[in-house]
């Protein structure tokens, strides 16, 4: 089994992308303090989160504020900024990994909070850290086909629940160094939200056009990172190596359809850590000065990571810039999506 899934978009543009920040700053030093006795007992040095991952801090929501509230806040900001009449929105997709219930969808709560019309289809699309990019692709396909004129993609993530439970578990007397390493990635997560409004390019010449995308599956690696609201375990080395190999296979085959290897103005890479970012840049021959970074102060925001980073970098972009969204999602899946800014 080999080959990329390749798609070119014909009439879809990004009208706006906006964030909603969680307000509680949680430093890596503070997490180290909570795990100090465990680190000492199992022989690990504190400071791994900043020294190895490059993450100084991340955010949590204030008490009483949920990730759904964050997604709705981001969606409201994006809709307002776009100037689109909410009555004309035909689709809202929620892409959050975080969820309170198995059913109903998280999308219904955000749809209700935003006051979207009854005619606006709404549902969840989840695919680990690629969910938002997949949501963009699906919405663009519906816009290109004429099914809808405008779509909103939202994402809200909550890292606190799983991080509190992980810290409590790692502080148990039977914890080993191997347990800490296996659950290390959980401590790199962050909370936050982001939303994007998409519309028809022929109606919105001010928008930023979606050009095309490629994706590639490596689902033989689906057990390298598994998680739920209580615990996430990750084979850090195995996930990094398999993700880079899968992405390189995708990248090389994509050269037949796209000229990305000649260089882009910005590369918006999924924000995992400084190790992951450096490895991606080295493997793909990317100039790291063209890679905006949010992981040092926001951590890994999951599927919100790529659009959140794009939103923070948009003030640096000018008309005509070529922007490439690049992500790897647990499972594994890899994807790239080009935007003509």
């Amino acid at each position: 089994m080999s080959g990329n899934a390749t798609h070119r978009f014909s009439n879809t543009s990004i009208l706006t992308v906006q964030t909603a920040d969680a307000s509680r700053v949680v430093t890596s030093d503070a997490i180290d303090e909570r795990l100090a006795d465990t680190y000492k007992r199992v022989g690990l040095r504190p400071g791994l989160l900043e020294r190895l991952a490059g993450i100084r801090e991340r955010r949590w929501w204030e008490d009483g504020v949920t990730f759904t509230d964050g997604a709705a806040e981001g969606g409201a900001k994006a809709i307002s900024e776009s100037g689109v009449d909410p009555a004309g929105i035909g689709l809202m997709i929620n892409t959050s990994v975080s969820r309170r219930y198995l059913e109903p969808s998280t999308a219904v709560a955000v749809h209700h909070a935003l006051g979207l019309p009854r005619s606006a289809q709404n549902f969840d699309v989840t695919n680990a850290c690629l969910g938002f990019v997949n949501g963009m692709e699906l919405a663009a396909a519906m816009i290109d086909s004429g099914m809808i004129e405008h779509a909103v993609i939202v994402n809200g993530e909550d890292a606190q629940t799983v991080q509190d439970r992980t810290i409590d578990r790692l502080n148990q007397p039977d914890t080993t160094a191997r347990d800490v390493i296996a659950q290390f990635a959980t401590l790199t997560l962050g909370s936050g939200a982001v939303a994007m409004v998409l519309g028809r390019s022929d109606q919105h010449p001010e928008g930023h056009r979606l050009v095309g995308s490629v994706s590639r599956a490596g689902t033989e690696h689906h057990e390298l990172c598994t998680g739920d609201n209580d615990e996430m375990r990750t084979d850090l080395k195995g996930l990094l190596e398999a993700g880079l190999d899968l992405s390189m296979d995708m990248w090389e085959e994509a050269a037949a359809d796209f000229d990305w290897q000649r260089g882009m103005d910005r590369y918006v890479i999924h924000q995992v850590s400084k190790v992951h970012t450096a490895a991606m840049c080295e493997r793909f021959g990317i100039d790291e000065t063209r890679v905006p970074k949010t992981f040092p102060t926001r951590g890994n925001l999951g599927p919100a990571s790529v659009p959140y980073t794009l939103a923070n970098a948009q003030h640096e972009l000018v008309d005509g810039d070529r922007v490439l969204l690049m992500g790897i999602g647990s499972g594994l899946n890899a994807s790239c999506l080009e935007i003509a800014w």
Side-chain angles (χ1 to χ4, degrees), residues 139-158:
M142 293 177 69
I143 292 171
D144 283 358
S145 71
M147 287 183 65
I148 57 172
E149 293 192 353
H150 298 98
V152 182
I153 317 298
V154 302
N155 185 282
E157 300 297 342
D158 176 20

Side-chain angles (χ1 to χ4, degrees), residues 279-294:
M280 285 282 288
C281 291
E282 180 180 2
R283 184 73 70 93
F284 287 82
I286 292 172
D287 179 357
E288 196 166 341
T289 64
R290 299 186 181 188
V291 179
K293 301 176 182 67
T294 54

Side-chain angles (χ1 to χ4, degrees), residues 156 224 234:
L224 289 178
T234 307

Side-chain angles (χ1 to χ4, degrees), residues 32-336:
D32 282 346
E33 289 176 10
R34 293 177 64 181
L35 289 169
D37 291 342
T38 295
Y39 284 157
K40 183 177 181 179
R41 181 168 50 77
V42 302
L44 291 174
R45 291 173 54 198
L48 283 175
L49 285 164
E50 185 165 354
R51 189 171 64 252
L52 181 62
I55 296 172
R56 298 191 302 274
E57 58 191 41
R58 78 282 296 132
R59 301 293 184 96
W60 287 355
W61 300 105
E62 290 291 346
D63 292 343
V65 179
T66 70
F67 63 92
T68 305
D69 296 331
E73 179 186 344
K77 290 170 64 176
I79 293 170
S80 176
E81 180 71 18
S82 73
V84 171
D85 182 350
I89 293 172
L91 174 69
M92 194 218 76
I93 301 177
N94 169 69
T95 65
S96 307
V97 166
S98 298
R99 61 187 309 117
R100 183 178 179 187
Y101 305 115
L102 291 178
E103 63 172 313
S105 69
T106 302
V108 296
V110 182
H111 179 281
H112 174 69
L114 290 174
L116 294 178
R118 296 184 184 278
S119 56
Q121 295 185 65
N122 57 96
F123 47 80
D124 291 348
V125 169
T126 61
N127 189 21
C129 294
L130 279 182
F132 200 101
V133 175
N134 294 152
M136 292 173 63
E137 292 174 313
L138 181 57
M142 293 177 69
I143 292 171
D144 283 358
S145 71
M147 287 183 65
I148 57 172
E149 293 192 353
H150 298 98
V152 182
I153 317 298
V154 302
N155 185 282
E157 300 297 342
D158 176 20
Q160 181 179 358
T161 300
V162 70
Q163 286 178 335
D164 276 341
R165 292 176 181 176
T166 296
I167 291 169
D168 289 344
R169 185 169 47 252
L170 292 179
N171 278 328
Q172 296 301 308
D174 58 346
T175 293
T176 66
R178 181 174 295 183
D179 291 326
V180 175
I181 298 303
Q183 297 173 68
F184 178 79
T186 312
L187 305 177
T188 69
L189 301 176
S191 303
V194 65
M196 178 182 290
V197 175
L198 300 169
R200 289 175 51 178
S201 301
D202 58 10
Q203 293 181 349
H204 295 279
E206 78 283 3
H208 314 293
R209 188 170 57 85
L210 303 192
V211 177
S213 66
V214 299
S215 61
R216 193 179 186 98
T219 52
E220 65 272 22
H221 302 297
H222 67 275
E223 294 187 347
L224 289 178
C225 180
T226 59
D228 54 30
N229 286 331
D230 182 67
E231 180 179 3
M232 184 174 77
R233 285 185 173 267
T234 307
D235 178 345
L236 295 173
K237 183 173 183 293
L239 189 67
L240 176 63
E241 292 178 351
L244 288 173
D245 288 343
L246 179 67
S247 297
M248 180 53 66
D249 289 342
M250 176 189 68
W251 183 256
E252 291 177 345
E253 188 170 313
D257 300 288
F258 300 98
D259 63 348
W260 296 336
Q261 294 187 20
R262 293 177 55 188
M264 308 293 284
D265 295 294
R266 288 292 187 278
Y267 302 85
V268 182
I269 296 175
H270 174 52
Q271 304 288 297
V272 179
S273 68
K274 68 179 182 181
V275 172
H276 176 271
T277 301
M280 285 282 288
C281 291
E282 180 180 2
R283 184 73 70 93
F284 287 82
I286 292 172
D287 179 357
E288 196 166 341
T289 64
R290 299 186 181 188
V291 179
K293 301 176 182 67
T294 54
F295 67 81
T297 59
R298 295 302 185 275
N300 179 352
L301 290 171
S305 166
V306 167
Y308 187 99
T309 305
L310 174 65
N312 275 16
Q314 62 185 320
H315 67 281
E316 303 172 355
L317 302 175
V318 298
D319 289 349
D321 276 353
R322 300 180 67 191
V323 180
L324 193 63
L325 311 185
M326 305 175 70
I328 304 171
S330 299
L332 284 169
N333 289 286
S335 184
C336 289

